[in-house]
């Protein structure tokens, strides 16, 4: 009888261990999915010959191909500021598309900052302030 109880406990422990392993795998999969869909907000400054060439209009045009929200504006010091919000993969792809567009010849430097507070915007617009 004690052998039967011992065998039953061993089987239960084995099933519990297997179940925990599956739960861990599901957790890791869910975590990876969550990380790829994590929302981020970034502020990006572009320096170079970035004003008076249609830079903002071009950035807004590129943004139409991505699921991002935000805005772009000229700064008094000659730079262009962009703020963008979306899933991290989508934001990164959008910024890469801007960097690989015809604008690349005008960009001398790009500086990126992560915004702690999520950007609240609808669509993607050119700001004039």
């Amino acid at each position: 009888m004690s052998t039967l109880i011992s065998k039953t406990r061993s089987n239960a422990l084995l099933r519990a261990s297997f179940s925990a392993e599956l739960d861990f795998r599901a957790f890791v999969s869910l975590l990876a999915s969550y990380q790829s869909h994590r929302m981020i907000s970034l502020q990006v400054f572009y320096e170079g010959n970035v004003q008076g060439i249609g830079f903002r209009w071009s950035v807004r045009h590129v943004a139409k191909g991505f699921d991002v929200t935000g805005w772009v504006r000229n700064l008094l010091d000659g730079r262009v500021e962009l703020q963008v919000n979306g899933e991290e993969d989508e934001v990164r792809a959008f910024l890469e598309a801007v960097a690989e567009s015809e604008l690349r010849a005008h960009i001398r430097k790009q500086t990126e900052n992560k915004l702690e507070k999520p950007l609240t915007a609808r669509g993607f617009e050119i700001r004039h302030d």
Side-chain angles (χ1 to χ4, degrees):
M1 176 86 161
S2 69
T3 304
L4 181 62
I5 292 171
S6 177
K7 200 173 207 180
T8 302
R9 283 186 183 156
S10 292
N11 287 340
L13 285 173
L14 184 59
R15 281 194 307 274
S17 173
F18 183 70
S19 176
E21 185 177 324
L22 286 178
D23 288 345
F24 179 74
R25 286 183 185 163
F27 172 74
V28 169
S29 177
L30 180 64
L31 183 61
S33 173
Y34 169 75
Q35 287 178 334
S36 69
H37 298 296
R38 187 176 68 208
M39 300 295 282
I40 61 168
S41 294
L42 297 177
Q43 175 185 49
V44 182
F45 293 102
Y46 293 99
E47 295 179 40
N49 183 27
V50 293
Q51 290 190 12
I53 59 159
F55 192 95
R56 294 172 297 159
W57 182 88
S58 295
V59 168
R60 185 181 63 183
H61 182 72
V62 171
K64 290 178 182 179
F66 295 88
D67 188 17
V68 296
T69 59
W71 51 263
V72 61
R73 69 177 176 175
N74 284 342
L75 298 175
L76 294 175
D77 63 6
R79 296 179 299 161
V80 169
E81 178 185 10
L82 174 145
Q83 290 195 14
V84 61
N85 185 67
E87 291 182 2
E88 185 168 12
D89 291 347
E90 196 74 3
V91 168
R92 295 289 174 202
F94 163 64
L95 293 177
E96 186 69 24
V98 170
E100 292 177 357
S101 72
E102 71 279 357
L103 298 173
R104 72 183 171 278
H106 303 282
I107 300 169
R108 183 174 36 86
K109 182 178 178 185
Q110 175 180 329
T111 307
E112 185 179 297
N113 302 305
K114 186 172 182 183
L115 298 171
E116 295 303 319
K117 291 176 69 175
L119 175 66
T120 54
R122 293 171 63 158
F124 198 93
E125 62 185 29
I126 296 172
R127 287 183 41 180
H128 300 279
D129 53 21

